[in-house]
Amino acid sequence: MVATDATLTKAQAQKLAGTAHDGIARAVRPVHLLNDGDTVFTLATGARPLNAQNPLALNEVLAAGAETVTRAIVRAVRAAEPVEGPGGTWPSYEELYGRG
């Protein structure tokens, strides 16, 4: 889910979801496989209109959406803890690679 306070049309919201989805590809390898369920939805509150004087204002929102998804995935992976699973413990990223 990507949320913004910008006023977006339905088409712009769909574009934001698609662009934010690209943020997954920056953080996950391999990505977009048949059964991974990688879906992004957009919520736009409409509290602030896009700057009509700046034709690239939507691009700024789109870029921020992709960057936000990338950062959220990286933060989640780094914050994850080991999990007990079938056959033993599944290590965390930090256990495998350290804090660096």
Side-chain angles (χ1 to χ4, degrees), residues 26-71:
R26 295 179 186 172
V28 177
R29 303 279 192 296
V31 69
H32 309 315
L33 301 179
L34 294 177
N35 298 320
D36 61 12
D38 56 345
T39 302
V40 177
F41 296 92
T42 296
L43 173 101
T45 67
R48 294 193 325 173
L50 290 176
N51 181 352
Q53 304 301 326
N54 180 1
L56 301 178
L58 179 60
N59 281 344
E60 294 172 6
V61 174
L62 299 176
E67 182 66 18
T68 299
V69 169
T70 301
R71 288 178 180 227

Side-chain angles (χ1 to χ4, degrees), residues 1-36:
M1 169 70 72
V2 174
T4 179
D5 61 355
T7 302
L8 300 179
T9 66
K10 182 178 179 180
Q12 290 170 329
Q14 289 174 327
K15 182 67 175 174
L16 176 55
T19 304
H21 191 265
D22 292 341
I24 298 172
R26 295 179 186 172
V28 177
R29 303 279 192 296
V31 69
H32 309 315
L33 301 179
L34 294 177
N35 298 320
D36 61 12

